[in-house]
Structure formats: C-alpha cells, structure tokens
Amino acid sequence: MDRHDLHHLPKSHMAFQSSPDTLDIRLRTTRGSVRRVQLVHGDPFHWKRQNDTRSWAGLDSYTEMDLENRTRAFDYWFARIRVPSRRVKYAFLLEGRWLFGARLLLDAVRDPGQLANLDNLFNYPYLLEADRYQAPEWVESTVWYSIFPDRFHQSGTSGLDPSRPARNDRFFGGDLKGIEEKLDYIADELGCNGLYLNPVFESPSAHKYDVTDYFRIDPRFGDEASLRRLVKKAHAKGVRVMLDAVFNHVSYRHPFFQDVLEKGAQSPYYDAFHLHEDFDAEAVRRKFEAKERFRPPYAAFAFSPRMPKVNTEHPLMREYLLEVATYWIETADIDGWRLDVGNEVSHDFWREFRKRVKAAKPDAYILGENWDYAFPWLQGDQHDGTMQYDFLFAVHALLAPEKAPFRLDTEGFRDFVVDHCALYPRPVHVNLYNLLDSHDTQRIARVLDNQTEKLEIAYALLFALPGTPSIYYGGEIGLDGGKDPDNRRAMDWQGEQSDKRLFETLKHLIRIYREEADFRRAHLEWLQASDGVLAFRKGDLLFLYNVSQTPGTVQLGEALGQASDLLTGRSVNLKTRMRLPGFTFRIYRFKD
Amino acid sequence: MDRHDLHHLPKSHMAFQSSPDTLDIRLRTTRGSVRRVQLVHGDPFHWKRQNDTRSWAGLDSYTEMDLENRTRAFDYWFARIRVPSRRVKYAFLLEGRWLFGARLLLDAVRDPGQLANLDNLFNYPYLLEADRYQAPEWVESTVWYSIFPDRFHQSGTSGLDPSRPARNDRFFGGDLKGIEEKLDYIADELGCNGLYLNPVFESPSAHKYDVTDYFRIDPRFGDEASLRRLVKKAHAKGVRVMLDAVFNHVSYRHPFFQDVLEKGAQSPYYDAFHLHEDFDAEAVRRKFEAKERFRPPYAAFAFSPRMPKVNTEHPLMREYLLEVATYWIETADIDGWRLDVGNEVSHDFWREFRKRVKAAKPDAYILGENWDYAFPWLQGDQHDGTMQYDFLFAVHALLAPEKAPFRLDTEGFRDFVVDHCALYPRPVHVNLYNLLDSHDTQRIARVLDNQTEKLEIAYALLFALPGTPSIYYGGEIGLDGGKDPDNRRAMDWQGEQSDKRLFETLKHLIRIYREEADFRRAHLEWLQASDGVLAFRKGDLLFLYNVSQTPGTVQLGEALGQASDLLTGRSVNLKTRMRLPGFTFRIYRFKD
C-alpha cells in the first residue's frame, strides 16, 4: 500500500457534520489501488483497549465504506456514521490490513497493537450544534427564476421590445409591478417557486450593481410598496423572493464616496474605502467626469472607477450594510440575499451578516456569488449556498466543446462531476444554486446554437446535478443573447421567436423536480459515461442522456424492470440494454 | 502526467495569505512524478489575453516553485508570490507543458489557448486584512516554561518534597508567591521568557481543571494580588505570563451546575449545560456524593461526572466566560490564554473570545490545546497557536520506539516532519507550541530512560522544529515521572537527583534560540535522514543529530566552509563529509 495513493483531510469537506449526531467521511484513493475500506471509529474516551489480532475486536466500531464513485484517476469512498457521544476518532482500515491514520500508514497485521493506538487516529473533536451547517429547509426543493428587472416586463404594457439592442446605459422600462403581473406565468404556468432579482436599489445604471441608495427602490422600478406587494403576492403563490446584495462595492456616486471626494481625510467615510497612497480626490473627479478611462487610485470591483470597493470593517460602513440586510427583510419580508462578489468580502463580515439576517428571519437563504471552490464559505458560519458555475462550465464543455473554455467527452464530464461533488459535503451540495447562464455569461441558447434538443439536455442535466436548478428569464423559451450586455435583452412576451417545445419540456422538468424527492439527492450513482451516453441513478430515479447525434446504447448492467417515464407518464420495461435516439434524455422512476 | 499524482486545495493550508500582499502556495505531487513546477498567476481582471505558444507570453506572471521537501511518498512545492492588487488567480504549469488548474489537467502544448483560460484557474479571491492570520510578534521568540502550580515551589520554604508520591487529591503547597521567588531561576538562570501556568482558579482538585470560581485565585495558591505581583515581576524580566482557560467544562461543584441540580428546569442555567433526556438531578447528586462511578446523564469532559461540559452558546454562560477572559487581562495584565480542550468548544465561541481578548490586549496570545490537525482553528479568526503534540509523538517515536505509540527511523522521522509541516502555513507554524511532555503525558525523562544524551537530542530537535519550544517544569534537570499523576511530582530544588549536564545544554539551547533569528524559521531544508543521522538547514544554521549509539557520517553534499559551533563557540570547518559520535548533536552557524 503506497501512501501517495491515499488522501484524507480531517475536519474539512472530507469530514463533515451532517446532522446533530452524524458525520460524513470521505477517503480518496488512486483508482484501483484499494479494494476495500472499513472505517474504524469510536469515542476516544471509550475505545476498547484490547487488541485481538484474530477478530480485530480491539476496535470500537467498523463501518464498511461505500465506493461512492470512480473517475479515471480516483476512487471515492463514503460513509455516514452515527456519533452518539458527539466525539469521534477514526482511521481507515484498507483491505483488512493497512491502517491509514492521522499520523502514519501502518501494517496492522504485522503490528496489531496499532489497532488500539489512539494516537494515530483522525479526530473530529466534537459535533456541536452551534457550528453545524444548516440551510433553510425550503431551499433544496426550489426552482429559481432569475430576473434582470429592467428587461423583464413593464407593467401595464404588452411587453418590452426584444429586438432592441441591450446596453447597460439604456433603460427598457421593466419594473417590479411588471414582475408582479407575470407571477402567474412564473409560478402557475412555468412552475417556478423561487424568484431571484438582480439589483433593484437606486443606481444610475441599468444593471444597478453600482448602488447609490440601498434603502430606496430605484424609481424606475417602483417604490417600497411595489416590492412589498410583489413579495406578498409571490408568497401567496408559494414563491420565495431573493434580492441581490451588492456589498463588495458601491457606486462612485454613492454619498459616502462623494463625501470622501469632497472632504478627503475629514470625511467620516475616508477609511470606509480602500484608498491608495496616491489617492487624489481632485484628479479622480476630473477624470471620472471627463469619462476618461483610468485605473482608480482605490480598490474597486475589477479596476472600475465606477465601483469603489468598500471596507466592511469600517464601523459606519459595516453598520450601514448590515442595516440594509435586515431592513428589506423587515420591510418587505424578502426570503433571501444573493451576495454579489461574495468571495471578495471578508469572512468576518459575512459571519456577522449571517447572525443579523438569521435573527431577522431564521429561514432566510444566503447565497454567495462564487465562481470557484466555495467550501470555505459553506461551513455553517457564513453562506447557505453559492452559485455553482462549475456545472455551467461542465455542461457547456460537454454540449458545446468548441465554444466552452474546455472540452469534455462523456467520460470527462463524469469525472469532472464526480471530482467536483467530492469537494462538497452532501448536505451542503443540495443547497447550491445551479445555472446554465446568467447576466454575466452568454445565454445558453447562444452557446448551444439555439438547438432545442441540446437545450433540453442541458436543462435536464442541470436539474439532475446536485443543487437547485435555476432559469435565467427567457431561458425557458430559448431567448438568445451573447456576452454582456447582449445577454440582457428584453424578454420576448409576444412569443413569436419562442421555443415552445423547450418551454413544455422545462415545465415537466420543474414539476418533476418539485414532486420527486429523489431528484433532489446529492449523490449520483454513475452507471455509464461512454459512447455518447450518460446514465446515473439518484435513489429510485434513473437518468439517461444521449449527448451525441447518433443513437446510443445504454448498458444498465441489471434489468430494473417496470418503470414510469416521468416526462410522458408512460410505463416502460427497463432492460439491461436500451437504445436511446440521438440528443434525447429520459427520466424514469423504477420503483413505486 | 497523471491527475492522481497531483494535489492542491485552494483557500486552505495550501494557499494562505502570509502578509498584506503575499500568498504562500503549496503543491503536493507523488515523488518523482513532476520535475519542474511554475506557478502561473495574475489579477483575473488584468490577465494578458494573448496566447503566444512559442514564448508562453500569454500568461501574466511565472514564478518558479521550489521543491520544498521530499518524503518517500511525496514532493512538496512551494512559492511565495506578491499580489499587488490583492486579487489573484493561478495554475500550475508542470514541466512546461501540463496545466493543472482548478477544473482540469490539460496539455497546454496541444491546446495552448488553455494558458489564457481564466475559467481553469484556482482563485484566491481577495487578500483582506480583516481575515489575515496575525499572531503577536513576541510569540515566535519565546521559550516557554510550563508550571503545575501546586508542585513547583512553596514560598518561604526551601522547596517541596520531590519524593512524595503525586496524587490529584493531594496538595503539596506550591503557590504563586513560590513561582515569583523562582523567577530569577526561570528567567535569569535558565533563560526562559514565557511562563505557562496550569489552572490557578478556585477548584477542589490539585490540578484545578474543575473550576468552581473563575474570578478567584485558589486560596491555596494566593490571591489576586499574588498573581498581579507575579505578572509584574515577570514583565520586569521580560517574561510573558499565560494562564490556563478551562472553558470546555466546569467543576461539578460550580455554582451554576449546583443551581441546576437544585432547581432543575427552574434554574437560569438549565440550558447552560448539555443535559441528556434522562437527566435526574436527585440520582446524580446521590451517586456523586456516594463517590459512585457512573456515566453522567450530561455531556462532560471525557465521561467524568466531575466535569460537566458547558454550553458556550447559552447567553449567561457565554458572557460569564468571556468576562473571565478579559477580567484577568485587565486585572493582572496577563499575556495570554492557553485553552483547555480547545477543539471541543465551538468555533463560534472562540471567534467572539478572540475579539474580546484582542480588544482588551491586542498582543495577547491565544493558544489552543489541540492534539490533532489544528488548521481549522488557525485561520486568523480563532487561535494564534495550538499545542503541537505531533512533534512530541515524533520525537518519542524516534528516540524511544519501544515505548512510543509508533516507531520512526531517521527516514520515517523526516517524512513525518515534512508531511506534518506541509499541513501548516509557515506564518502559522512558528507560533505553535512545541513540547516533549506535559501534565497529560509521561515525562520525557521517563520515556528516554533518564539518558542524558537522548534527552539533549530530544530538546535540540524540539527547539529546531517549527514552533516555540517549551520545558515542562523540572524537564531542564531531567525530573522523572510516569503517567498522570506521577508526571506531576514536586520540583526538585535540592538538586541531588538533577542532571546538571542537561541543564547546561538547555541553557545554551535557550540562549541560541533567543539570539538566532534563523532558529525560528518554519522551513527545514533537509540534507540527510539515514544511517542514524538527521541533518537539515534553517537559513544559515546547520543542525546535525546522530540518534544512534554508533558513530555516524554526515553527508553534506557541499562543503559549507568555516562555521561556528553555537554550543561551544568553537570554529570549525564544515566539510562535505563529517563524523558525528553516537547520540550527539551539533548546531553550526556557517555564515556571518
């Protein structure tokens, strides 16, 4: 047994409290290097000290670990164990012989005393409720509908003009009342039960990521009453409402920053920003008003002078933002915050933010924007979920390899998904936010060349991958659009260009996702990833995808018998081998 | 290039902010699988987009990674990079060809566009001062002297009786004034500049880990004035004083727990403990007073009824403990807290604890007891350091393989140390607390059969390993003692049994440690770990150890030239091969 084939990190995404008295443990091994893993575990103060080399009875408890999944490089092993006394030490017994502990890999046959050696065990010191990750229960069964408010619907009209080119300084007239008028469409017709709005507070731009007043709804969108009414009507339909919190930066025009530009070091907000040593207020104002392009002498979002980064540790700024967070919960009863640039704001700020938000509304959802490895924010003290761009990239790479940042074939896609899933504990994974596109990316219709069958597969994959699915407004009808700002075109209400087949498919997917609890499981049991076919199980559901043009063959390995096709309602017989036409997918329930 | 040979985890101990604008990055590879690593890094909003396949000029910055160390299983690569804009994305370019990024391992020769692919980069989103790990500056140059107060010295006497068997319900009469009387010995004679006292607050036991009043010095030890005087005199000698905070549990006799036993659910402290469903106050009191052994119907330290675990989330309990934390800083000007069972108390509590303590004294040291992987507590928000039992085990395993929990030969020792060091960022590592023994383990003299030459090597290793060295009272004279309570024998002031050679050696080690900044570096550059010999460099210092009985040969590889032996002051010529007698060590400075 080689040490370099084994990987475990205690008290991490690989050892995670999954309930008041359970712990989820993962081990990663080089593929094929280990054929069996038993987790040896117990309370360190109640560890049986004897070491009977014949029965291995010296150890407290054994749990057989499941081979959770394999990639071409790795095997992942998983076990969920009960920890009645809340304290647990553990080690991995490989093939009944090799003890992989916190300090050494040892041959337990040659040195059986090692099985009772408490000093070579991994430790999860205490399962404490205070630190346990817990997200609101409603999140995992939510299907999100994401709206860029200026471009969705203008109240009292028949709709905006989808053919008008989108620009970030061009206002289309969408408003909150317009969204309210379309709640029937979103909730009843389409079936979504979560609404995520891009920023709605006062701001000079159309995207409103440069806020000038966080306590005021942008007058183009309406007022406080409009938001309250929208939330109230949404709630009446069982729809939750999430707003966008831009707490990484403010608008150049925000009064705090203007105060600094005017008063310099005399301003109480002087330290509420990250000004560089060469900061010169006069020069900044001159260049900004002259619309020059310049690298700002202060920290900013990207290097944009329009969006000075705030210092969330400054008492006035901190309190201001924290008040915003609770104000809209208390005033409009919103259900969550999506945190713009969530990973560039301090952990310390998010910890206090969480306490305030949860005190105001215990089941509010806190969703961080984070395009990368997000576990450091998802340990119970900060965010409930993050936007899972990894799956966006994976689906693009599978279905549009020429356009995506990298290419994945079916096997590569499976490996990508398996490796990615292993970076997140299962209880966390189901609360992440899945997306195929957003106001920051090309629209999926553009990526997939408006091909309905590919779009259907893309959504059917997104819905099945761990996390909650979302639809970027218009995605359900195949709305087209390239990169920002073209991805922010107006919604097409006339429906002349709209893809009705895609809409129907999405309606079905949404219904199934909300009805079938197994759909929402974190764990994918892979059956096939070859010959253009992807096949996996989640509980009693079977997911099949042919991502190639040519008919494919699914090799189930075992006949699963009678099943129902959840999209058509038809009954089918699941045989060991099944044919699947090009660019199609199936979702079956094979037990009752 | 095989994916299973590569390991990196972003935003972890492998990617750590080491100063306001630097990041330390580590990569682990299977030994020999990769011969060269370049770190490709830059600001994601200023990434050069062109990709020139001939010069690789498409990427922002390249930094050659150092092969930090090797074990038989792994190679560890290290780079410290500057991050002027505080944002950085990065990937590893292996052997000028393979790009190991956040999402995929790719052949950048076959697909050169990947070098400009921002979506396959690891991300350290923002280097924020608010989250940066910072420990007090004085810590890393501290040599600690650790005292079990009842057993050190009784003021006004010639000393306690070291031949009297130690028991935890037997009081020897040591007191704070007694420690004060011995400050000359500790600071001037021995040279230590940190004092760590086991608990001193009111408690029925001799060890005082079951506290009844945290606001009162145990009357056997003195009073508040005694502590104040001790700290003041210590400070006058440049010695810092750290007390023991027992915040995981209280004494069964603590008034809060007694209140619960009396009033049950009517007590305001009822939820300040973790009572089980079958909690029966009457039965508990009866069994306890009858000195029965029983498993308590409440969470406790280990399963000890004497030490009910507290609920640090209960408002009264939390505030009580936090007030204790600042009270003794404000009242007696202490310099730090050692946190008993630091890993079983909630992260949430420690975060608030840190804020309160640092507000009261910004350069107070917070040291967690933690026998295992401690990085989750050492990310800037909780502890400054932890007790590094790993090195205790390693030294025991090397020098007393028959008695230690496992055996290590020289190569095994090197691998153990290298693997362990890679789990801690360098800026953190120098603030951990190294020990060979404690009130919880056998004394090192017992472990090493009172062999002076082995004890010298043990200390000389401990001092050189990353972290601050400590001496458990009497360790400097080779005080003997088996497991608890025998490891708590009285200090031997008569000195008849004392090991004077060991004492002299330790004095030298302490002096050198405090004088030579290189001694305190985190990074060990290994030169040899074979044939009973260990050899490594730290900056301009060379450390040689022969841990076997027979003379050994050190293979330096290159002649380092003139050097001074820091223990003897003699000048020597460091040749490529050097002889080292059995059980000896040398510390040389080879530059000026």
Side-chain angles (χ1 to χ4, degrees):
Chain A
M1 190 59 57
D2 287 323
R3 174 64 185 83
H4 62 74
D5 288 324
L6 313 174
H7 179 61
H8 178 71
L9 189 67
K11 206 130 194 324
S12 73
H13 59 282
M14 302 183 94
F16 192 80
Q17 184 179 0
S18 48
S19 82
D21 67 349
T22 58
L23 193 68
D24 288 5
I25 306 275
R26 278 196 177 114
L27 174 72
R28 191 181 80 182
T29 57
T30 300
R31 185 183 169 107
S33 65
V34 181
R35 286 160 302 177
R36 184 186 181 195
V37 183
Q38 289 157 288
L39 189 71
V40 174
H41 55 98
D43 186 302
F45 296 100
H46 188 61
W47 201 275
K48 291 187 189 68
R49 292 281 180 164
Q50 68 274 25
N51 45 75
D52 181 331
T53 57
R54 287 153 305 176
S55 65
W56 306 113
L59 292 156
D60 204 61
S61 284
Y62 284 74
T63 298
E64 200 73 33
M65 294 192 82
D66 292 329
L67 181 54
E68 183 183 31
N69 264 316
R70 330 186 70 167
T71 68
R72 283 164 293 185
F74 298 116
D75 288 331
Y76 291 98
W77 304 84
F78 178 89
R80 175 165 292 174
I81 54 168
R82 278 204 62 234
V83 185
S85 69
R86 307 290 197 266
R87 280 182 300 247
V88 63
K89 287 203 172 193
Y90 60 95
F92 304 94
L93 184 62
L94 313 174
E95 302 185 348
R97 169 167 199 157
W98 301 95
L99 194 71
F100 175 44
R103 297 189 166 102
L104 289 172
L105 170 65
L106 293 156
D107 183 339
V109 167
R110 212 180 286 173
D111 188 0
Q114 289 300 336
L115 287 169
N117 178 3
L118 282 166
D119 294 322
N120 189 29
L121 296 171
F122 293 103
N123 193 12
Y124 195 100
Y126 214 95
L127 279 67
L128 286 155
E129 279 302 281
D131 293 331
R132 181 157 72 91
Y133 168 88
Q134 282 179 280
E137 270 186 39
W138 57 268
V139 172
E140 67 175 58
S141 51
T142 300
V143 181
W144 294 97
Y145 194 76
S146 153
I147 291 177
F148 194 84
D150 183 55
R151 309 291 161 76
F152 188 60
H153 185 53
Q154 184 170 24
S155 54
T157 74
S158 60
L160 308 169
D161 178 5
S163 65
R164 186 180 173 207
R167 279 172 29 189
N168 285 324
D169 59 353
R170 182 172 279 179
F171 301 94
F172 279 56
D175 56 14
L176 295 181
K177 178 110 180 75
I179 299 171
E180 185 192 322
E181 288 176 6
K182 294 297 186 185
L183 274 176
D184 290 353
Y185 168 80
I186 295 165
D188 304 334
E189 213 173 321
L190 187 55
C192 288
N193 55 345
L195 203 56
Y196 153 45
L197 306 185
N198 290 112
V200 296
F201 306 130
E202 187 195 86
S203 150
S205 67
H207 56 63
K208 310 220 171 294
Y209 280 101
D210 48 343
V211 181
T212 48
D213 187 350
Y214 289 82
F215 287 102
R216 187 180 186 213
I217 301 291
D218 193 284
R220 292 178 186 274
F221 290 171
D223 57 16
E224 211 167 283
S226 330
L227 179 66
R228 266 204 300 270
R229 211 166 35 233
L230 170 62
V231 174
K232 201 173 170 190
K233 292 220 175 163
H235 285 179
K237 288 183 176 294
V239 174
R240 312 274 176 160
V241 180
M242 175 165 67
L243 297 189
D244 210 321
V246 190
F247 288 180
N248 176 67
H249 51 268
V250 297
S251 168
Y252 173 91
R253 305 263 181 226
H254 191 283
F256 294 179
F257 194 67
Q258 287 298 312
D259 199 68
V260 171
L261 288 178
E262 271 166 43
K263 300 181 193 147
Q266 308 310 313
S267 166
Y269 302 105
Y270 191 73
D271 294 323
F273 299 91
H274 302 270
L275 308 178
H276 296 172
E277 274 183 24
D278 61 349
F279 177 76
D280 171 349
E282 207 34 65
V284 166
R285 292 171 85 166
R286 196 183 59 243
K287 291 179 198 166
F288 191 90
E289 299 304 342
K291 297 192 177 169
E292 271 183 48
R293 297 194 104 200
F294 65 105
R295 183 175 278 224
Y298 42 87
F301 172 70
F303 291 101
S304 166
R306 304 175 63 89
M307 303 189 189
K309 182 177 177 71
V310 303
N311 175 8
T312 53
E313 274 55 53
H314 185 270
L316 289 175
M317 182 62 84
R318 191 180 185 94
E319 199 51 36
Y320 174 76
L321 297 176
L322 291 171
E323 273 175 26
V324 170
T326 51
Y327 179 82
W328 291 106
I329 291 174
E330 284 154 7
T331 305
D333 198 19
I334 63 162
D335 304 290
W337 284 110
R338 179 263 188 190
L339 312 172
D340 189 51
V341 203
N343 56 352
E344 296 188 18
V345 175
S346 77
H347 294 296
D348 187 65
F349 177 79
W350 290 134
R351 289 190 184 109
E352 193 167 348
F353 174 87
R354 182 182 187 87
K355 285 188 198 264
R356 296 276 196 106
V357 164
K358 298 284 178 177
K361 189 165 193 168
D363 73 341
Y365 179 46
I366 299 172
L367 171 68
E369 182 193 14
N370 193 331
W371 294 48
D372 305 286
Y373 179 61
F375 182 69
W377 290 264
L378 295 168
Q379 302 183 25
D381 55 330
Q382 298 169 68
H383 304 166
D384 294 320
T386 46
M387 300 178 85
Q388 197 160 216
Y389 276 93
D390 282 275
F391 288 151
L392 177 151
F393 291 122
V395 172
H396 290 203
L398 176 74
L399 297 173
E402 336 69 44
K403 294 190 180 177
F406 36 76
R407 296 154 181 265
L408 292 174
D409 59 12
T410 46
E411 205 172 10
F413 181 84
R414 191 241 3 240
D415 288 359
F416 185 103
V417 169
V418 169
D419 284 338
H420 175 76
C421 288
L423 288 173
Y424 292 87
R426 293 183 188 177
V428 173
H429 216 166
V430 295
N431 298 306
L432 307 195
Y433 179 102
N434 287 348
L435 64 169
L436 290 173
D437 50 7
S438 73
H439 66 287
D440 283 328
T441 70
Q442 293 183 73
R443 281 188 171 274
I444 187 69
R446 172 66 58 94
V447 174
L448 299 181
D449 297 321
N450 304 98
Q451 292 179 269
T452 303
E453 63 275 23
K454 284 194 185 176
L455 285 164
E456 288 176 322
I457 289 177
Y459 281 106
L461 273 171
L462 189 80
F463 273 65
L465 292 170
T468 63
S470 72
I471 297 165
Y472 181 49
Y473 76 101
E476 71 277 18
I477 54 166
L479 198 64
D480 189 37
K483 290 188 176 159
D484 173 7
D486 192 43
N487 55 355
R488 301 165 182 187
R489 290 187 201 170
M491 176 65 178
D492 177 14
W493 290 112
Q494 311 314 320
E496 279 155 25
Q497 317 295 321
S498 86
D499 185 332
K500 290 180 186 64
R501 181 178 135 188
L502 179 62
F503 185 83
E504 288 304 310
T505 303
L506 267 171
K507 271 176 58 173
H508 283 301
L509 280 172
I510 295 167
R511 177 183 48 76
I512 304 168
Y513 184 87
R514 294 182 56 187
E515 283 175 0
E516 299 283 340
D518 277 347
F519 218 123
R520 305 182 309 247
R521 283 175 181 246
H523 178 50
L524 272 65
E525 190 185 332
W526 284 89
L527 303 171
Q528 186 176 342
S530 61
D531 307 319
V533 169
L534 298 170
F536 52 80
R537 281 177 60 169
K538 291 176 86 173
D540 292 342
L541 297 181
L542 177 67
F543 297 81
L544 308 178
Y545 306 82
N546 183 345
V547 298
S548 76
Q549 214 154 4
T550 51
T553 304
V554 186
Q555 309 275 6
L556 286 183
E558 55 170 332
L560 293 167
Q562 280 307 114
S564 63
D565 181 323
L566 293 179
L567 276 104
T568 63
R570 273 186 230 126
S571 189
V572 291
N573 188 19
L574 297 178
K575 289 168 287 188
T576 53
R577 283 167 58 98
M578 294 173 69
R579 296 284 285 174
L580 206 57
F583 288 126
T584 53
F585 74 93
R586 301 277 186 271
I587 303 172
Y588 296 116
R589 174 147 43 77
F590 58 89
K591 279 185 196 157
D592 237 332
Chain B
M1 191 59 57
D2 286 324
R3 174 64 186 83
H4 62 74
D5 287 323
L6 313 173
H7 178 62
H8 178 71
L9 189 67
K11 206 130 195 322
S12 73
H13 59 283
M14 302 182 95
F16 193 79
Q17 184 180 0
S18 48
S19 82
D21 67 350
T22 59
L23 193 68
D24 288 5
I25 306 275
R26 278 195 176 115
L27 174 72
R28 191 181 79 182
T29 57
T30 300
R31 183 183 171 108
S33 65
V34 181
R35 286 159 303 175
R36 184 185 181 196
V37 183
Q38 288 158 289
L39 190 70
V40 174
H41 54 98
D43 186 303
F45 296 99
H46 187 61
W47 201 276
K48 293 187 189 69
R49 291 281 181 164
Q50 69 273 28
N51 46 75
D52 180 332
T53 57
R54 287 153 305 175
S55 66
W56 305 113
L59 290 156
D60 204 62
S61 285
Y62 285 72
T63 298
E64 200 72 34
M65 294 193 81
D66 292 328
L67 180 55
E68 183 183 31
N69 264 316
R70 331 186 69 165
T71 67
R72 283 164 293 185
F74 297 116
D75 289 330
Y76 291 99
W77 304 83
F78 177 89
R80 174 165 293 175
I81 54 169
R82 277 203 64 234
V83 185
S85 68
R86 308 289 198 268
R87 282 182 301 248
V88 63
K89 288 202 174 194
Y90 60 95
F92 304 94
L93 184 62
L94 313 174
E95 301 183 350
R97 170 168 197 153
W98 301 96
L99 193 72
F100 175 44
R103 296 189 166 104
L104 287 173
L105 170 66
L106 294 157
D107 184 338
V109 168
R110 211 179 288 175
D111 188 0
Q114 288 302 335
L115 287 170
N117 178 3
L118 282 165
D119 294 322
N120 191 28
L121 296 171
F122 292 104
N123 194 13
Y124 195 100
Y126 215 94
L127 278 67
L128 287 154
E129 279 302 282
D131 292 332
R132 180 157 73 92
Y133 168 87
Q134 282 178 280
E137 272 185 38
W138 57 267
V139 172
E140 67 175 59
S141 50
T142 300
V143 182
W144 294 97
Y145 193 77
S146 152
I147 291 177
F148 193 85
D150 184 55
R151 308 291 159 77
F152 187 60
H153 184 55
Q154 184 171 23
S155 54
T157 74
S158 59
L160 308 169
D161 178 4
S163 66
R164 188 177 171 211
R167 279 171 30 187
N168 285 324
D169 59 353
R170 182 174 279 179
F171 301 94
F172 279 56
D175 55 17
L176 296 181
K177 179 112 180 72
I179 298 172
E180 185 193 322
E181 289 176 6
K182 295 296 184 183
L183 275 177
D184 290 352
Y185 168 80
I186 296 166
D188 304 333
E189 211 173 324
L190 188 55
C192 289
N193 56 345
L195 203 57
Y196 154 44
L197 307 184
N198 289 112
V200 296
F201 306 130
E202 188 194 87
S203 151
S205 67
H207 57 64
K208 311 222 171 292
Y209 280 101
D210 49 342
V211 180
T212 48
D213 187 349
Y214 289 81
F215 287 102
R216 189 183 185 208
I217 300 292
D218 193 285
R220 291 179 187 274
F221 291 170
D223 56 18
E224 213 167 279
S226 332
L227 180 66
R228 267 205 300 271
R229 209 163 39 230
L230 170 62
V231 174
K232 203 173 169 189
K233 292 219 172 164
H235 285 178
K237 287 182 177 295
V239 174
R240 312 274 176 160
V241 180
M242 175 165 67
L243 297 188
D244 209 321
V246 189
F247 288 180
N248 176 66
H249 52 267
V250 297
S251 168
Y252 172 91
R253 304 263 181 227
H254 191 284
F256 293 179
F257 195 67
Q258 287 298 311
D259 199 68
V260 171
L261 288 177
E262 269 166 44
K263 300 179 193 150
Q266 307 312 311
S267 166
Y269 302 106
Y270 191 74
D271 294 324
F273 299 91
H274 301 271
L275 308 177
H276 296 171
E277 273 184 24
D278 61 349
F279 177 76
D280 172 348
E282 208 33 67
V284 166
R285 293 171 84 166
R286 196 183 59 243
K287 289 179 199 165
F288 191 91
E289 300 303 342
K291 299 191 176 169
E292 271 184 45
R293 298 193 105 201
F294 65 105
R295 184 175 274 225
Y298 44 86
F301 172 71
F303 290 102
S304 165
R306 303 174 64 89
M307 303 190 189
K309 183 177 177 69
V310 303
N311 175 6
T312 53
E313 274 56 53
H314 185 271
L316 289 174
M317 182 63 83
R318 191 179 186 96
E319 199 49 38
Y320 174 75
L321 297 175
L322 292 171
E323 274 176 25
V324 171
T326 50
Y327 179 82
W328 292 106
I329 291 174
E330 285 154 6
T331 306
D333 198 20
I334 63 162
D335 304 290
W337 285 110
R338 179 264 188 189
L339 312 171
D340 191 51
V341 203
N343 56 352
E344 296 188 19
V345 174
S346 77
H347 295 295
D348 188 65
F349 177 79
W350 290 134
R351 289 190 183 108
E352 192 167 348
F353 173 87
R354 181 182 187 86
K355 284 187 198 263
R356 297 275 196 107
V357 164
K358 298 284 178 175
K361 189 165 195 167
D363 72 341
Y365 179 47
I366 299 173
L367 172 68
E369 182 193 15
N370 193 330
W371 294 49
D372 305 286
Y373 179 61
F375 182 69
W377 289 264
L378 295 167
Q379 301 184 25
D381 56 329
Q382 299 168 65
H383 304 166
D384 294 318
T386 47
M387 299 178 86
Q388 195 159 217
Y389 275 93
D390 284 275
F391 287 152
L392 178 150
F393 290 123
V395 173
H396 290 203
L398 176 73
L399 297 174
E402 336 69 44
K403 292 190 179 176
F406 37 77
R407 295 154 181 266
L408 292 174
D409 59 13
T410 46
E411 205 172 11
F413 181 82
R414 186 225 30 221
D415 287 0
F416 184 103
V417 169
V418 169
D419 284 338
H420 175 77
C421 287
L423 288 173
Y424 292 87
R426 293 183 187 177
V428 173
H429 216 167
V430 295
N431 298 305
L432 307 195
Y433 179 103
N434 288 348
L435 65 169
L436 290 174
D437 50 6
S438 74
H439 66 285
D440 282 329
T441 70
Q442 292 184 70
R443 281 187 172 272
I444 188 67
R446 172 65 58 91
V447 174
L448 300 180
D449 298 322
N450 304 97
Q451 292 178 268
T452 304
E453 63 276 21
K454 284 193 183 176
L455 285 164
E456 288 175 323
I457 289 176
Y459 281 104
L461 273 170
L462 189 79
F463 274 64
L465 293 170
T468 62
S470 71
I471 296 166
Y472 181 48
Y473 77 100
E476 72 277 18
I477 53 165
L479 197 65
D480 188 39
K483 290 187 177 158
D484 172 8
D486 192 42
N487 54 355
R488 301 166 183 187
R489 290 187 200 169
M491 175 64 178
D492 178 15
W493 291 111
Q494 311 314 319
E496 279 155 25
Q497 317 294 321
S498 86
D499 186 332
K500 289 179 186 66
R501 181 177 135 189
L502 179 62
F503 185 82
E504 288 305 311
T505 303
L506 267 171
K507 269 176 60 173
H508 283 300
L509 279 172
I510 294 167
R511 177 182 49 75
I512 304 169
Y513 184 87
R514 293 182 58 187
E515 282 174 1
E516 299 282 340
D518 277 349
F519 217 124
R520 302 174 323 239
R521 283 174 181 246
H523 179 48
L524 273 66
E525 190 185 331
W526 284 88
L527 304 172
Q528 185 175 343
S530 61
D531 307 319
V533 169
L534 298 170
F536 52 82
R537 280 178 61 168
K538 290 176 87 172
D540 292 342
L541 297 182
L542 178 67
F543 298 81
L544 308 178
Y545 306 82
N546 183 344
V547 299
S548 76
Q549 214 155 3
T550 51
T553 303
V554 186
Q555 310 274 5
L556 287 183
E558 55 171 332
L560 293 167
Q562 280 308 113
S564 64
D565 181 323
L566 292 179
L567 277 107
T568 62
R570 272 187 229 129
S571 188
V572 290
N573 187 19
L574 297 178
K575 289 167 287 189
T576 53
R577 284 168 56 99
M578 294 173 69
R579 296 286 285 173
L580 205 58
F583 287 126
T584 52
F585 74 94
R586 301 277 185 271
I587 303 172
Y588 296 116
R589 174 146 45 77
F590 58 91
K591 280 183 199 160
D592 236 329

